[in-house]
C-alpha cells in the first residue's frame, strides 16, 4: 500500500530533517490559541486550529512557519502527553458520554467510554471520576482524543467532594487503614524502664488524638535542665515486614486535611494504643537530654520505657497561664515543669539564634467546619510560647537522634536541606552581588558561612530580598546518609518524634533499638524508599493546599460578591499579574494585570526582579503589603481574583 512505501517514508523523513522545528510544552489560553514554550525560553504562537490537536501540558515537536514578520508553529509529533491519569467531570448529552478534565487550563471535552468493571448506570452527569487518556490525535493510528473512565470518585452532590477529589487527584488513600484490633506487644528483647510514676505531660491542639510526644523536665542544681522526651512506640506493636508496616511504608505519612485526617497507621494504633493519652500506660522510646544554662545541648541517652501521661494540655491554655491570663491552673506536679520548660525554650531559642538558625514565626490558619463540610470560620492561631516549647524540645531531641545515628549506625532517615540547589547557586550569587551583598560563591554551600550570611540578611528585614532569594532556594529531601539542614542551621537532622504519623520516624526507631540492644544495623534505606518518602510528603502538602484553596473559595464567595477589601502580602509576580496572600485568613488570590490598570500597555511587569511599574513608576514589588478587593471566587478552578484596593 502507498503508506507503506519506503520511498515515501524516506521522503517524509528528508522533509522533516530540512524543515525548521521546535520542541517544547504547550501552554493553553482561554481564548483558543496557545503557545509552545521551549526549554531555552523561546515562545511560539500556536493558532486555534492547531490547538485542537493538543492539550495544555503536552510536550510536542512542531513545524515552524514563517509568514512575514509573524511566526507560528504546528505540532505534529507527541513527545509526552500532558494528560495521562486525570480527574474529570462526566458530561452526558443525548446518550453521548464525555469527560471534561478538571484543570484550569484545559477546556477540552473528551469523548469517553467506561471501564468494563464499572456500572455505567451508576455514573451520572456531573459526577467526579478518574479518567485516563487512551487516544491522542498526534499518536500514530489515532485521529482524535478519547478517554476511559477508570474510577468513580464522588457523586456530583456529595458534600465530601473537595476531600475525595483532591485525594484522588494526588493518588492518595481515601480512608484510614484497617488492620483489626488484636495488637499484642512484641517481644523485642528490650528492657523497658518504668516511668509511669514520673509526671509526664503532653501539649497539643485541643482536638489532637494521635499524641506521640510527652515531656518531663527538671532544673539541674548546677544550672540548666534535664529534659526527658518520651515518644510513642508503634514499632512495639508493628513488626517490620508485617502487612500494616508495609501499608505504612506505602502511605509514608498521615495526611492532615481541614476536617479530615487519613492516618498512616490503623486508627486503633494511631489514636488509641500508641497515643499517649492521659492516665494510660504506653510503651515509649525515650531520651534524656542535658541542656546547659546557655541553651546548648550536653549529653543524651536513649532508652526504652513504659510511661504514663499525667496531663493532656492544650497550647492556648498553657500559653495563657504562662502569660498570666485566664482562670486555668495546672496541677502542682506540672506547674513548675511548665515554667522550667519555658525557661529552657528561651535559652534554646537564644542559642539557636546565635549558633544555628531560627525560623520566623508565622501564624497557622485553622478551618472551623460543620458536619457537612461547610466553612464556618477561619481562625488564626499564633505561634505562642507553648507551641515554641514543644517545637524547641522536638528540635533538640531530633538533633540528638541525628547525632546517635550518624555516630553509631552511619545511616538512617535524615532530613537534608541545601540552602540553594547546586544549579541555582551561581544565579543566587549573582543576585546577591547585584544587591551589593558581598559573599563568596562557596559560602552558599558551606553551612558555617551560610549561617553568617543568613543572619546578616535577616538583620536587613527586607521582605523583597527574602522573597527574591526564595526563587533560588532548595527543598528538604529525605536521605539515608547524614547531611546538613541549612534551614535549621544544623549539621544533621533526623526525626524520631512523630512515629505515629511518619514512616521515616518508625525506621529511625528500629535503628535506635538496634543500638540499644547492641545489634548490627541492617542495610541502609534504599534510594527508592527515601525518594518515595520525599515524594509522598510533597503530595501530602499539595493535597492540603488544594483542599484549603477549595474551602477558601467557598468561604470567601460572599466577600467576593460584596467586593470586600483585605490587607494582603504580595508573594509572587509573573507575566500575567501578581499573587497575594490575605493576612486575615491565609487565602491566596490572583491580581491579573488588567486589574492593575485599565490600559495593559501601561503596566510593565518584571517577573525576574519581582517588580511592577504602572505608567513608568514602580508601584508594587514582592513582599509589599497592600490593600486588595476580592472581585471573583471561581469554584471550578478553586481560585480567587482580586484587584488593587484604594
Amino acid at each position: 500500500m502507498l503508506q507503506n512505501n519506503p520511498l515515501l517514508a524516506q521522503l517524509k523523513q528528508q522533509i522533516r530533517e530540512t524543515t525548521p522545528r521546535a520542541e517544547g510544552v504547550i501552554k493553553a489560553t482561554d481564548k483558543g490559541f496557545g503557545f509552545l514554550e521551549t526549554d531555552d525560553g523561546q515562545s511560539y504562537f500556536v493558532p486555534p486550529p492547531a490547538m485542537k490537536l493538543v492539550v495544555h501540558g503536552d510536550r510536542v515537536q512542531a513545524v515552524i512557519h514563517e509568514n512575514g514578520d509573524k511566526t507560528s508553529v504546528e505540532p505534529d509529533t507527541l513527545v509526552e502527553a500532558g494528560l495521562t491519569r486525570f480527574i474529570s467531570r462526566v458530561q452526558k448529552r443525548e446518550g453521548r458520554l464525555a469527560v471534561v478534565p478538571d484543570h484550569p487550563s484545559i477546556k477540552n471535552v473528551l469523548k469517553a467510554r467506561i471501564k468494563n468493571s464499572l456500572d455505567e448506570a451508576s455514573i451520572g452527569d456531573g459526577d467526579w471520576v478518574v479518567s485516563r487518556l487512551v487516544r491522542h490525535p498526534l499518536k500514530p493510528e489515532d485521529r482524535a482524543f478519547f478517554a476511559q473512565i477508570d474510577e468513580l470518585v464522588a457523586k456530583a452532590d456529595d458534600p465530601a467532594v473537595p476531600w475525595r477529589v483532591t485525594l484522588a487527584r494526588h493518588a492518595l488513600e481515601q480512608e484510614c487503614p484497617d488492620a483489626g484490633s488484636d495488637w499484642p506487644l512484641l517481644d523485642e528483647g528490650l528492657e523497658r524502664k518504668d516511668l509511669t510514676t514520673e509526671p509526664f505531660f503532653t501539649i497539643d491542639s485541643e482536638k489532637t488524638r494521635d499524641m506521640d510526644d510527652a515531656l518531663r523536665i527538671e532544673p539541674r542544681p548546677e544550672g540548666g535542665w534535664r529534659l526527658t522526651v518520651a515518644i510513642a512506640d508503634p514499632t512495639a506493636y508493628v513488626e517490620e515486614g508485617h502487612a500494616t508496616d508495609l501499608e505504612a511504608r506505602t502511605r509514608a505519612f498521615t495526611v492532615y486535611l481541614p476536617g479530615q485526617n487519613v492516618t498512616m497507621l490503623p486508627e486503633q494504633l494511631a489514636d488509641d494504643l500508641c497515643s499517649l493519652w492521659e492516665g494510660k500506660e504506653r510503651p515509649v522510646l525515650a531520651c534524656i537530654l542535658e541542656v546547659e544554662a546557655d541553651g546548648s545541648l550536653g549529653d543524651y541517652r536513649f532508652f526504652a520505657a513504659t510511661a504514663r501521661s499525667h496531663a493532656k494540655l492544650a497550647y492556648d491554655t498553657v500559653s495563657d497561664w504562662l502569660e498570666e491570663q485566664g482562670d486555668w491552673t495546672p496541677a502542682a506536679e506540672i506547674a513548675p515543669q511548665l515554667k522550667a520548660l519555658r525557661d529552657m525554650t528561651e535559652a534554646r531559642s537564644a542559642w539557636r539564634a546565635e549558633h544555628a538558625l531560627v525560623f520566623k514565626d508565622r501564624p497557622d490558619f485553622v478551618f472551623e467546619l460543620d458536619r457537612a463540610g461547610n466553612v464556618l470560620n477561619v481562625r488564626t492561631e499564633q505561634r505562642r510560647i507553648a507551641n515554641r516549647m514543644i517545637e524547641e524540645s522536638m528540635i533538640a531531641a531530633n538533633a540528638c537522634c541525628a547525632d546517635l545515628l550518624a555516630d553509631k549506625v552511619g545511616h538512617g532517615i535524615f532530613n537534608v536541606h541545601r540552602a540553594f540547589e547546586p544549579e541555582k547557586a551561581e544565579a543566587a550569587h549573582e543576585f546577591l552581588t547585584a544587591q551589593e551583598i558581598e559573599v563568596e560563591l562557596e559560602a552558599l554551600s558551606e553551612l558555617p558561612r551560610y549561617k553568617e550570611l543568613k543572619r546578616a540578611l535577616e538583620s536587613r528585614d527586607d521582605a523583597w530580598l527574602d522573597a527574591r532569594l526564595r526563587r533560588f532556594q532548595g527543598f528538604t529531601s529525605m536521605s539515608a546518609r547524614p547531611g546538613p539542614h541549612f534551614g535549621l542551621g544544623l549539621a544533621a537532622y533526623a526525626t524520631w518524634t512523630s512515629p505515629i504519623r511518619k514512616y521515616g520516624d518508625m525506621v529511625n526507631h528500629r535503628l535506635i533499638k538496634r543500638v540499644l540492644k547492641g545489634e548490627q544495623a541492617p542495610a541502609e534505606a534504599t534510594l527508592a524508599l527515601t525518594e518515595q518518602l520525599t515524594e509522598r510528603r510533597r503530595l501530602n502538602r499539595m493535597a492540603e493546599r488544594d483542599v484549603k484553596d477549595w474551602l477558601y473559595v467557598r468561604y470567601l464567595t460572599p466577600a467576593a460578591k460584596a467586593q470586600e477589601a483585605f490587607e494582603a502580602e504580595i508573594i509572587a509576580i509573573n507575566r500575567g499579574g501578581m499573587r497575594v496572600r490575605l493576612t486575615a485568613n491565609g487565602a491566596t488570590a490572583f491580581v491579573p494585570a488588567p486589574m492593575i490598570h485599565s490600559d495593559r500597555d501601561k503596566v510593565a511587569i518584571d517577573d525576574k526582579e519581582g517588580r511592577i511599574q504602572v505608567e513608568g513608576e514602580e508601584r508594587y514589588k514582592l513582599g509589599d503589603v497592600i490593600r486588595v478587593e476580592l472581585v471573583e471566587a471561581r469554584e471550578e478552578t478553586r481560585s480567587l481574583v482580586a484587584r488593587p484596593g484604594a
Side-chain angles (χ1 to χ4, degrees):
M1 297 178 63
L2 185 60
Q3 68 243 37
N4 294 324
N5 189 320
L7 293 177
L8 179 60
Q10 184 177 0
L11 178 61
K12 286 183 176 180
Q13 181 63 29
Q14 290 175 350
I15 293 174
R16 284 176 58 86
E17 291 175 353
T18 57
T19 303
R21 302 178 62 77
E23 179 178 318
V25 177
I26 295 293
K27 303 294 183 184
T29 70
D30 55 8
K31 296 181 179 180
F33 59 82
F35 295 92
L36 180 74
E37 306 280 356
T38 66
D39 294 341
D40 60 2
Q42 295 291 317
S43 182
Y44 294 96
F45 179 75
V46 184
M51 283 297 294
K52 296 183 183 300
L53 302 175
V54 292
V55 296
H56 178 87
D58 280 348
R59 174 171 282 275
V60 301
Q61 291 181 356
V63 176
I64 300 175
H65 295 295
E66 302 281 356
N67 185 7
D69 60 349
K70 295 182 179 180
T71 303
S72 64
V73 295
E74 181 184 358
D76 69 350
T77 304
L78 180 68
V79 178
E80 184 178 357
L83 277 181
T84 49
R85 174 194 180 275
F86 58 97
I87 300 297
S88 58
R89 298 200 76 174
V90 173
Q91 189 178 94
K92 284 188 171 182
R93 298 287 187 272
E94 300 176 351
R96 295 181 179 179
L97 180 67
V99 293
V100 180
D102 181 47
H103 191 288
S105 299
I106 300 178
K107 308 299 182 184
N108 307 59
V109 178
L110 310 177
K111 293 181 180 179
R113 66 184 180 218
I114 294 178
K115 189 177 180 180
N116 292 336
S117 58
L118 294 178
D119 177 14
E120 184 170 350
S122 67
I123 297 179
D125 187 57
D127 288 351
W128 298 84
V129 294
V130 174
S131 299
R132 180 165 46 88
L133 194 66
V134 293
R135 295 180 194 164
H136 191 295
L138 292 187
K139 284 184 177 180
E141 311 300 329
D142 289 353
R143 291 179 295 177
F145 289 108
F146 200 79
Q148 175 173 289
I149 297 173
D150 286 343
E151 178 186 345
L152 173 64
V153 174
K155 301 295 290 181
D157 58 354
D158 188 339
V161 158
W163 293 267
R164 293 196 175 280
V165 168
T166 298
L167 290 169
R169 179 187 315 284
H170 299 294
L172 296 171
E173 293 77 12
Q174 297 274 351
E175 306 291 343
C176 301
D178 186 7
S181 57
D182 185 19
W183 290 102
L185 277 173
L186 301 174
D187 181 6
E188 299 179 277
L190 277 171
E191 180 181 346
R192 291 190 178 271
K193 184 176 180 179
D194 186 353
L195 300 178
T196 54
T197 61
E198 298 287 324
F200 281 85
F201 58 90
T202 64
I203 307 178
D204 284 284
S205 298
E206 288 189 6
K207 295 182 179 179
T208 300
R209 297 183 56 82
D210 53 347
M211 293 163 288
D212 46 19
D213 56 269
L215 301 177
R216 170 90 167 95
I217 188 169
E218 300 172 288
R220 302 186 310 179
E222 67 273 26
W225 304 266
R226 177 170 293 111
L227 174 68
T228 305
V229 178
I231 303 298
D233 190 5
T235 61
Y237 295 98
V238 182
E239 190 172 8
E240 187 171 7
H242 185 277
T244 297
D245 178 64
L246 297 177
E247 180 66 19
R249 180 186 177 112
T250 297
R251 294 177 179 237
F253 296 89
T254 288
V255 183
Y256 292 99
L257 304 175
Q260 179 184 352
N261 297 339
V262 183
T263 60
M264 177 186 77
L265 291 169
E267 288 181 289
Q268 298 94 327
L269 291 172
D271 294 349
D272 186 9
L273 286 178
C274 294
S275 186
L276 303 183
W277 285 99
E278 180 180 353
K280 300 290 186 181
E281 291 190 9
R282 294 289 186 255
V284 297
L285 194 57
C287 181
I288 293 178
L289 298 76
E290 303 292 340
V291 183
E292 305 300 333
D294 66 353
S296 61
L297 294 180
D299 294 336
Y300 62 84
R301 179 171 61 88
F302 283 86
F303 59 99
T306 302
R308 178 168 61 89
S309 171
H310 288 220
K312 182 182 186 297
L313 309 181
Y315 289 121
D316 282 342
T317 306
V318 172
S319 296
D320 285 345
W321 180 74
L322 289 171
E323 295 166 3
E324 299 182 352
Q325 303 175 29
D327 300 326
W328 175 80
T329 302
E333 61 182 3
I334 302 298
Q337 292 195 74
L338 295 178
K339 291 183 178 180
L341 189 58
R342 175 198 58 196
D343 295 343
M344 186 213 77
T345 295
E346 298 298 349
R348 279 291 296 161
S349 296
W351 185 90
R352 289 204 303 122
E354 182 178 354
H355 300 282
L357 292 172
V358 178
F359 291 123
K360 290 183 178 179
D361 282 341
R362 289 188 174 273
D364 293 324
F365 298 100
V366 180
F367 287 81
E368 296 179 356
L369 309 173
D370 64 17
R371 292 187 176 181
N374 300 306
V375 184
L376 304 176
N377 187 32
V378 180
R379 186 177 73 255
T380 303
E381 287 190 353
Q382 299 294 339
R383 305 288 293 172
R384 301 178 67 191
I385 181 59
N387 302 78
R388 292 176 51 226
M389 285 156 54
I390 296 301
E391 182 178 88
E392 288 294 344
S393 299
M394 297 305 106
I395 290 174
N398 290 330
C400 292
C401 175
D403 184 75
L404 177 82
L405 294 180
D407 180 45
K408 303 296 185 184
V409 181
H411 61 83
I413 301 296
F414 292 85
N415 290 344
V416 174
H417 172 247
R418 299 285 178 183
F420 302 98
E421 298 292 349
E423 63 273 15
K424 294 183 179 180
E426 191 167 330
H429 181 253
E430 291 176 358
F431 168 74
L432 290 168
T433 301
Q435 302 307 311
E436 298 182 349
I437 298 172
E438 296 300 325
V439 59
E440 295 178 9
L441 178 60
E442 293 75 14
L444 302 184
S445 58
E446 295 176 5
L447 183 59
R449 298 169 70 188
Y450 170 76
K451 288 190 289 187
E452 294 176 4
L453 169 66
K454 184 66 174 174
R455 283 192 280 268
L457 293 175
E458 288 177 350
S459 68
R460 291 185 171 221
D461 195 25
D462 187 332
W464 174 84
L465 182 63
D466 291 344
R468 283 288 288 114
L469 267 179
R470 280 196 288 271
R471 292 177 57 138
F472 306 105
Q473 291 178 335
F475 299 95
T476 303
S477 62
M478 315 296 270
S479 170
R481 292 281 178 171
H485 194 297
F486 278 66
L488 289 170
L490 299 176
Y493 194 68
T495 64
W496 66 288
T497 53
S498 299
I500 292 177
R501 59 190 80 173
K502 298 179 183 178
Y503 188 75
D505 290 31
M506 288 180 63
V507 173
N508 287 341
H509 269 225
R510 290 180 173 130
L511 291 173
I512 293 169
K513 288 180 177 180
R514 293 268 192 147
V515 173
L516 296 180
K517 292 188 288 185
E519 296 178 354
Q520 184 176 354
E524 68 181 53
T526 63
L527 181 62
L529 175 59
T530 55
E531 287 182 343
Q532 186 219 354
L533 295 177
T534 301
E535 174 63 9
R536 289 290 291 217
R537 180 167 58 184
R538 185 186 71 85
L539 292 176
N540 288 2
R541 290 174 176 173
M542 290 176 64
E544 180 184 10
R545 180 205 63 194
D546 289 354
V547 169
K548 285 183 175 181
D549 284 348
W550 208 321
L551 296 180
Y552 274 128
V553 166
R554 291 184 172 182
Y555 177 61
L556 292 170
T557 292
K561 289 180 179 178
Q563 298 189 4
E564 189 174 336
F566 293 87
E567 184 181 82
E569 178 189 0
I570 301 174
I571 58 174
I573 289 176
N574 58 39
R575 287 181 295 178
M578 58 186 177
R579 185 163 296 281
V580 300
R581 179 184 292 113
L582 308 187
T583 55
N585 50 46
T588 60
F590 187 66
V591 182
M595 292 282 186
I596 296 174
H597 195 285
S598 57
D599 186 347
R600 177 65 178 85
D601 292 337
K602 293 183 178 180
V603 179
I605 299 177
D606 188 337
D607 57 325
K608 291 184 178 180
E609 281 295 307
R611 299 180 187 273
I612 297 177
Q613 289 186 346
V614 180
E615 296 182 334
E617 293 185 4
E618 182 171 290
R619 186 74 57 84
Y620 307 104
K621 67 179 185 300
L622 283 172
D624 281 354
V625 176
I626 63 174
R627 296 284 289 178
V628 299
E629 296 172 355
L630 289 185
V631 296
E632 194 173 356
R634 302 172 178 170
E635 183 157 352
E636 68 276 8
T637 57
R638 273 76 82 188
S639 59
L640 298 166
V641 181
R643 66 183 172 211

